[in-house]
Every structure is written in structure tokens, then in C-alpha cells.
Amino acid sequence: MRSVVLVSLAAAIGNMLQGWDNATIAGAVIYIKKEFHLEKEPKIEGLIVAMSLIGATMITTFSGPVSDRVGRRSMLILSSLLYFLSSIVMFWSPNVYVLLFARLLDGFGIGLAVTLVPVYISETAPSEIRGLLNTFPQFCGSGGMFLSYCLVFGMSLQESPSWRLMLGVLSIPSVIYFLLAAFFLPESPRWLASKGRMEEARQVLQRLRGREDVSGELALLVEGLGVGKDTSIEEYVIGPDNEVSEGGHELPRKDQIKLYGPEDGQSWMAKPVKGQSSLALASRQGSMLTRGASLLDPIVTLFGSIHEKLPSENINSSTSSRSMIFPNMGSVVGLTGRHESQWDPERNNDDSSEHDESLNSPLLSPQTTEPGSVGNMQRRQSSLFMANVGETATATSIGGGWQLAWKYNDKVGADGHKVNGGLQKMYIHEESAKNNNNTGFSRRGSLLSFHTEAGVPDQGHGYIQAAALVSQASMIPGNKGETAMLPKEVKAGPGWRELKEPGVKRALMVGVGLQILQQFAGINGVMYYTPQILKETGVSSLLTNLGIGAESASLLISTLTTLLMLPCILVSMRLMDVSGRRSLLLSTIPILTLSLLTLVIGSLVKLGGTTNALISTASIMVYLSCFVMGFGAIPNILCSEIFPTSVRGLCITICALTFWICNIIVTYTLPVMLKSLGLAGVFGIYACVCTVAWVFVYLKVPETKGMPLEVISEFFSVGAKHQDAASFVSL
């Protein structure tokens, strides 16, 4: 995973430059105000700081849709150029108006980086460590602030500090960012797949994953281009596709269907069952909760079935031997040898143009059994089920224990032939064995084995039970034969109509809600009040006694505060894919509330100047530590995960606009609120918002750790459909 980690770190430099700029302007504005005589022009002073927010908001309005057209990498390169250009203009600024223009350009670069870096990392990262890698922007942003504060503090100790030099230094890391974005970062493989550039997507995946065989994940990228409209949850008992026994007799296949993998000859037999899988049980339970007027979103219940035990199983475990889905099962199927990838753009494509070569190459082609190959075929299909728990993902594995397969449904046209829409994709997740008489299958240790007796499969030992998300495939039969499958033609531009899909609307509600609550949870107020609190504790006086001026002391305090955040972000980085996003939010938001309430009490109850200041200081430190562990990074991480590929850029734009608009509102209303409501009133409101945020996360925000992006989108589609159906029934 070294390659994908380095790529994520390189992309996160854009966020480091944002943090660098935020800290630099906070120190430089002190000296800008003196040179341009802005002591009596507070509006101009505020505009110099706020112009980057305005620029970020402006460019965010179209950054997502444009990135859907030209690519994520291209927009990151543009961001680096804007950073560099703005820093040069700020260094040269002869007057305040040129400086305002430079700050606007700087805001453009910030807006592109903040909006698209999480998207880029999510689209390139494997699902198992996606949360960890998506914490890099938060860490790099805080690291950039710390480095910049150190630089500005050092320059402030000079006799005549130069604010132009403070702002112009940004050009150095901007050049590094440009070189990395232009010559090191690959394009997002999901964006390449959305444009039909499969060969390039395959090469990027091979580089990022460090292996040649990426056919399963490549197929997943194409299947994720659609928005799930007809997704259903089905349950199967799946076994090897031993088409012919060693004795040459066909095996019985009553009520069985054939599943196909992304590689040559990769197929299984599956029998639908009517048992209650964990996914189906969670879906039905969520629908019943909705009909019962419960506020808990069925999407939360559905996602939770992957990571947690359902309440009904905890209560009635003695009467049911069903176990939950293995969250870290690894690969259901293991390959004993290398198989030629079925998705090979250089194969079966001699009559295609170079531009359409990748798009028109066959992806799925079930292999028929040739005479004399029965033994080899049988051994090969049996070996597909020889897998140890936790082994490295194979061709069919798409991450998080999920597998990708396809099947034909029973739709037949008027002419008796299968219609093009008859192919369905399946996201399969193995469930633990039920050791009862109804299903009759079991799992032996960590190996799944297939045994036959007299040419007939022994169903007591040869199968696994799996729940599957089934929906229309993004493949159609090709021109090279009835069984050759090709990606459907890719649509150009963002799918505005797809925003009306229930799953997309539900995901937008989660993303927008988190962005609003994050900004109104009090982080700007706490950062604004920190220097005043530390001054009351006597820290400023101590630094002044050491010979450090008041302005330098203020910068040093901000430096130490930023330094405190870095180890906390490292802790959240470790927990993001272990405890999960939802769990971190539910654990840290109550601490934010308690910290804010402590600040309220400290401002109302006078225990003595030093005592009050010490309590307030401790509360602020706890607040900042917990904020960066949860609410600081997770909203952007979730927003980059929960939307389908076809509308991800558009939806991210909506969420990012919400972020910047709320940021501006909170920043400019804070002084007014402090004047009218006082410190206790402002922090009391923030504490109430944190309480609302906890309730919102508990009821509406699902756990997405370890799940492929495409599976997350399907889950939202299923959950939204069940809730809408339940709401209709309740009417």
C-alpha cells in the first residue's frame, strides 16, 4: 500500500497550503494594518482576511461539475497554480486593492483543494484504509498551520517584520505541490472509468494496489457508474460450479442459477433461499421501525448490520444460531494460480479504434466446458472456494469482505431470447453458517471446501451462505458473441436528474446536515476566544516577562494550540477504520457539549480570575482535541464516500457550498452575538447545537468504514426505498 499512501499524502499538500495560508494571514494582518493605516478601517481589514473565504465559495459553485468533466487531477494542478500565483501577487502587492485580488486568487486555490482532495483520496484508496488516508487532509492542514505559525513567530521577533515575505513564502510549497500534482499524482481510476478509459484505469489501479490482477476492482468501477434504482437484498447458498462430475455425468441443478466472476472460467452455482439474512433482517427491521414512527433511519440499521449485532439477536441468541456477517472476512474466493484477466483492452478488439479500445473490450465472458477439460475445470472451480480468512483480496474481492459477481435474471423477450437488461450485478457478502436443519450448510474452520459423493454435491459441507445486493448491471451484451459483456456507453456531464433518486437525496441530507452542524458546533468561537482565555491565565504575561512582545506572544500561543491538535489527529487516524466514523462522532460530540457547558458555567460563576481561567483553558484544550478527532475531519470524509460516482462531483459541490456559506455566517455573526448575548449565551447556543448534532448522527448517519464506495451507494438506495415504501404504507 506504499504507493496509495504516498499519493494520498501528496494530494493532501493542498490542505497543508490552506492551513499555512490561514495561519500566515492571521499573523501578517497585524503588520498589513500598520502599513496601510487600516486602524480606522475595520471593514477593509476584515475583507483582507475574508476574501479567501469569498473566493473559495465562488469557485466551489462549479468545482465539482467541472472536475466531473476534466478530471480530479487536473483541478488539483489548477489549485497548485492558483496558490503559486496568489502568493507571488501578495508578495508584490503595492496597495490594498492588489492584495485583495491576490487573496481572492488564493481563495480559489483553497476552494479547489478543500473540495476535491477528499474526493480524490476516496476514489483512489482501498476501502480498508480509506478512513485513515482521508484523515491526511486534516493532519496536513493542522501541520501547515503549525509550520506557518512557527515561521511567522520567528519573523515577528525581527525589528521590522515583512508581511509580504510572510505571505510570499507560500510560493515555495506551492511549487512542490504543482510538481507532485503534475508528475506524480495519477488520475482518479473511478473518473477514468466514468469516461470509458478502461486501460488507463487499469494501469492506475495496478500502480496503486501493487499487483497486476485488478480485474475485479476494475469491473466494480464500471458497475458503480449507475445510481441504484432497483436494488434488492437477496440471499443465496453458493457453491462451486462443477458442471460435470469426474464420471462425466451432469450434476443436478434444480432451482439453481449461475453466477459469473470477472475472470475467464470463473463461475459458481447459487440457490436462492428464503432465510432471513442479516442484511434482509436489518432492512425489514428498519422498515418496521419506520412504520412504528421511530426516528431511526433504516439506512442506519442496514449499515449497522454489517458492523454490529442486531438487537434481536442479542436478545434472543438462545433461539437463533445465526451469526452476523463477518466484517473482516477477507476474500470468499481464493485463486490457486494466476488467471488471465477477462478485462484486457488489448484483446478481442482488433477492429476498434484506439479511442474506443478500452470501452469496447469484453469484461464478462462465461467459459464453456470443452471436451477433455472436465477434470481441470472441476478442480479449478473447486479451488475458487479455498480461502483463508484475512487473506489478500483476489480478483472478485472488492474490499471489506465484499465480492462482485453477475447473473442473468429470468426476463425473456417476446422472441424468446434474453433481453439486454437481463444482466444483474451482485455485491455479495458472506454470512456465517447456520447450523440448523433448514439450510444444512456449515463452515469448517477458515477454509471452505467442496466435497462430492457419487458425483452429487454434499450440501452439508460444500456451500456458503451469502447476502447480496442485486441491481441492474452496467454491462450489455457485446457484438462479439452472445456472452461477451461490455460497459454501457458513458454519459457526459453530471446527472442532474439523478439527484432526485431517493438514495442520492438521502445521502445529500446526511452530507449537508453534517456540514451545517459542524460549522455551528462552535469551533470558530472557541478559536476566536482562545487568546483571550490564555491571556487571563497569565500565559501572555509570562511570555512578556521573558522578553517576547505582545504580538509575538499571541502568535506563540496560537502555535502551541495548533501543536496540541496534531497528536489528537494521529489518534483519530488510527481509529477511523477501527472504531469507525459514526462511533467517533458519537463518542466525541458529548465531550464537545460538556466542554462548552463548562465554559458557560465558568463565565457565569466567579471562582476567582486564575481559577476560572484555568478551568476555561482546560475546557478549550479538551474541546479542540476532541473536535479534530471527530467533527473536524469526518464530515468531509463521509461526504466523499456516500455519493454515486456519476453525481459525486455535483453532490460534493452542494456540500462544500454549505460548508463555506455556514463558515462565513458563523465568522461574521460571532462578534455580534458576543456583544448581544455575551460569552455564556454564545457558548450555550453552541452546546445546544452539539446536542442536536449528536441526535442527528445517532438517527441519520450510518457507519461506512471498510465498505467499497459503490456498495455504500447501493445501501443508501435500498434503505431509502424501504423507508419510502414504509411511509407510503403508514399513510
Side-chain angles (χ1 to χ4, degrees):
M1 293 298 177
R2 179 184 303 173
S3 179
V4 71
V5 171
L6 293 177
V7 164
S8 299
L9 274 174
I13 292 178
N15 295 79
M16 188 199 78
L17 298 181
Q18 179 219 4
W20 184 296
D21 175 78
N22 289 344
T24 303
I25 194 63
V29 73
I30 300 172
Y31 308 101
I32 294 173
K33 184 166 56 174
K34 292 180 179 179
E35 178 173 331
F36 294 124
H37 308 290
L38 300 178
E39 290 83 356
K40 296 182 180 180
E41 298 288 344
K43 292 183 179 179
I44 300 297
E45 177 188 348
L47 195 59
I48 291 173
V49 177
M51 190 59 75
S52 62
L53 291 178
I54 297 172
T57 305
M58 290 171 59
I59 203 166
T60 297
T61 56
F62 60 86
S63 61
V66 172
S67 73
D68 284 338
R69 290 182 179 274
V70 304
R72 321 300 192 205
R73 175 174 167 269
S74 300
M75 299 299 280
L76 295 183
I77 294 174
L78 177 60
S79 173
S80 66
L81 292 174
L82 288 169
Y83 274 127
F84 176 77
L85 181 61
S86 65
S87 63
I88 295 299
V89 177
M90 284 189 288
F91 180 74
W92 168 71
S93 297
N95 55 58
V96 69
Y97 301 105
V98 175
L99 179 60
L100 288 174
F101 174 71
R103 296 290 298 157
L104 183 67
L105 292 178
D106 184 59
F108 291 162
I110 290 173
L112 292 178
V114 172
T115 303
L116 297 177
V117 167
V119 176
Y120 178 84
I121 293 177
S122 288
E123 292 186 344
T124 55
S127 58
E128 291 82 2
I129 59 171
R130 188 177 60 241
L132 182 151
L133 298 183
N134 244 328
T135 315
F136 285 175
Q138 174 82 5
F139 182 80
C140 290
S142 297
M145 290 180 65
F146 173 72
L147 294 175
S148 179
Y149 273 130
C150 290
L151 175 67
V152 174
F153 170 71
M155 296 178 68
S156 70
L157 299 178
Q158 299 175 353
E159 292 185 4
S160 301
S162 172
W163 63 264
R164 289 182 174 83
L165 185 59
M166 292 179 184
L167 297 176
V169 171
L170 182 67
S171 61
I172 298 175
S174 298
V175 171
I176 297 174
Y177 186 39
F178 169 77
L179 294 176
L180 290 173
F183 302 107
F184 178 71
L185 294 184
E187 182 54 84
S188 162
R190 283 179 167 83
W191 182 84
L192 290 172
S194 72
K195 300 303 177 184
R197 294 158 62 176
M198 304 307 171
E199 169 63 11
E200 295 177 62
R202 180 178 65 83
Q203 292 175 356
V204 171
L205 284 175
Q206 288 172 340
R207 171 187 169 186
L208 294 176
R209 303 298 180 258
R211 64 176 188 270
E212 291 295 320
D213 188 2
V214 292
S215 56
E217 190 170 0
L218 192 58
L220 172 68
L221 303 191
V222 174
E223 289 297 354
L225 296 179
V227 177
K229 301 179 181 180
D230 56 350
T231 307
S232 61
I233 300 175
E234 300 176 5
E235 186 178 13
Y236 294 91
V237 174
I238 303 175
D241 180 19
N242 292 330
E243 297 188 356
V244 183
S245 68
E246 292 287 354
H249 303 288
E250 291 190 5
L251 301 178
R253 298 190 176 198
K254 184 178 181 181
D255 300 327
Q256 295 186 17
I257 60 175
K258 193 168 185 176
L259 309 183
Y260 302 104
E263 292 194 337
D264 282 336
Q266 201 172 33
S267 59
W268 306 269
M269 297 306 297
K271 182 175 182 180
V273 295
K274 297 181 179 180
Q276 293 186 345
S277 69
S278 299
L279 284 178
L281 180 60
S283 179
R284 283 191 288 272
Q285 188 180 54
S287 299
M288 290 188 291
L289 288 173
T290 303
R291 286 196 291 268
S294 171
L295 297 177
L296 185 65
D297 198 314
I299 291 177
V300 175
T301 306
L302 192 59
F303 275 84
S305 67
I306 298 296
H307 307 289
E308 306 167 354
K309 270 188 172 294
L310 292 175
S312 60
E313 292 188 292
N314 292 328
I315 295 173
N316 196 25
S317 58
S318 60
T319 60
S320 174
S321 59
R322 179 184 299 276
S323 300
M324 290 303 296
I325 299 173
F326 297 134
N328 298 308
M329 180 195 68
S331 178
V332 171
V333 293
L335 303 178
T336 57
R338 286 190 53 79
H339 297 160
E340 183 180 9
S341 175
Q342 182 62 21
W343 199 332
D344 186 354
E346 298 178 359
R347 208 161 54 103
N348 298 328
N349 231 357
D350 297 334
D351 57 345
S352 301
S353 65
E354 182 178 357
H355 176 73
D356 295 328
E357 183 178 9
S358 296
L359 182 62
N360 294 331
S361 60
L363 168 67
L364 183 66
S365 181
Q367 177 175 320
T368 57
T369 305
E370 299 179 0
S373 63
V374 173
N376 291 334
M377 184 68 171
Q378 192 171 28
R379 284 189 293 272
R380 180 178 179 182
Q381 298 292 2
S382 298
S383 70
L384 295 175
F385 283 82
M386 302 293 289
N388 289 319
V389 174
E391 71 174 44
T392 302
T394 57
T396 61
S397 177
I398 56 177
W402 290 88
Q403 317 295 321
L404 175 62
W406 294 265
K407 71 180 181 72
Y408 284 100
N409 60 18
D410 297 329
K411 292 182 180 180
V412 178
D415 56 358
H417 294 87
K418 295 176 181 176
V419 297
N420 288 351
L423 188 69
Q424 293 181 310
K425 66 173 179 284
M426 303 173 66
Y427 298 135
I428 303 173
H429 204 298
E430 183 188 7
E431 296 200 333
S432 58
K434 295 190 299 182
N435 299 318
N436 55 38
N437 295 328
N438 294 331
T439 54
F441 69 92
S442 62
R443 181 180 177 99
R444 290 185 170 183
S446 61
L447 292 178
L448 297 176
S449 57
F450 179 74
H451 302 281
T452 60
E453 247 179 71
V456 180
D458 178 4
Q459 300 203 12
H461 302 293
Y463 295 96
I464 63 167
Q465 185 178 13
L469 294 171
V470 182
S471 60
Q472 188 68 34
S474 295
M475 306 293 168
I476 57 175
N479 299 324
K480 296 183 180 296
E482 184 180 354
T483 58
M485 296 299 159
L486 307 173
K488 290 181 180 178
E489 183 178 356
V490 180
K491 296 185 298 182
W496 293 91
R497 293 183 179 179
E498 293 175 348
L499 293 181
K500 299 180 180 179
E501 292 298 324
V504 177
K505 289 192 295 184
R506 191 62 49 81
L508 270 175
M509 182 190 72
V510 171
V512 170
L514 284 174
Q515 296 291 355
I516 293 174
L517 293 169
Q518 180 204 47
Q519 289 303 304
F520 285 93
I523 182 62
N524 289 330
V526 172
M527 295 294 290
Y528 178 88
Y529 189 62
T530 296
Q532 180 180 341
I533 288 289
L534 295 179
K535 182 177 180 180
E536 293 179 4
T537 62
V539 174
S540 298
S541 300
L542 176 62
L543 295 175
T544 302
N545 294 335
L546 294 176
I548 300 176
E551 296 168 349
S552 299
S554 176
L555 292 172
L556 181 58
I557 289 172
S558 299
T559 303
L560 297 175
T561 303
T562 307
L563 178 62
L564 174 68
M565 298 180 184
L566 296 179
C568 299
I569 299 174
L570 289 175
V571 173
S572 70
M573 193 179 296
R574 175 67 180 88
L575 296 177
M576 199 64 67
D577 292 307
V578 179
S579 299
R581 295 80 155 131
R582 173 181 165 88
S583 298
L584 276 176
L585 287 175
L586 293 176
S587 301
T588 56
I589 291 177
I591 301 177
L592 301 182
T593 305
L594 291 176
S595 300
L596 292 169
L597 290 176
T598 303
L599 289 171
V600 172
I601 296 172
S603 64
L604 294 177
V605 180
K606 302 302 180 182
L607 300 176
T610 304
T611 303
N612 276 70
L614 289 174
I615 293 175
S616 298
T617 301
S619 299
I620 285 178
M621 296 300 105
V622 171
Y623 178 94
L624 292 176
S625 300
C626 291
F627 186 89
V628 296
M629 289 178 63
F631 236 157
I634 292 177
N636 282 342
I637 293 176
L638 284 172
C639 287
S640 66
E641 293 177 330
I642 59 180
F643 302 116
T645 301
S646 57
V647 292
R648 184 171 294 126
L650 185 58
C651 292
I652 284 293
T653 292
I654 296 173
C655 294
L657 271 177
T658 303
F659 168 84
W660 290 115
I661 292 173
C662 291
N663 191 313
I664 292 173
I665 292 173
V666 171
T667 300
Y668 282 93
T669 58
L670 179 60
V672 178
M673 292 175 63
L674 283 172
K675 185 176 181 180
S676 59
L677 300 176
L679 187 65
V682 171
F683 285 140
I685 292 175
Y686 290 158
C688 292
V689 173
C690 287
T691 303
V692 173
W694 189 91
V695 174
F696 178 81
V697 171
Y698 179 78
L699 296 178
K700 300 297 182 182
V701 179
E703 181 55 73
T704 60
K705 66 174 181 180
M707 299 178 66
L709 299 181
E710 291 74 13
V711 174
I712 293 173
S713 301
E714 295 289 342
F715 265 61
F716 268 96
S717 178
V718 172
K721 182 178 67 174
H722 277 273
Q723 184 169 24
D724 291 345
S727 300
F728 178 78
V729 171
S730 63
L731 293 176

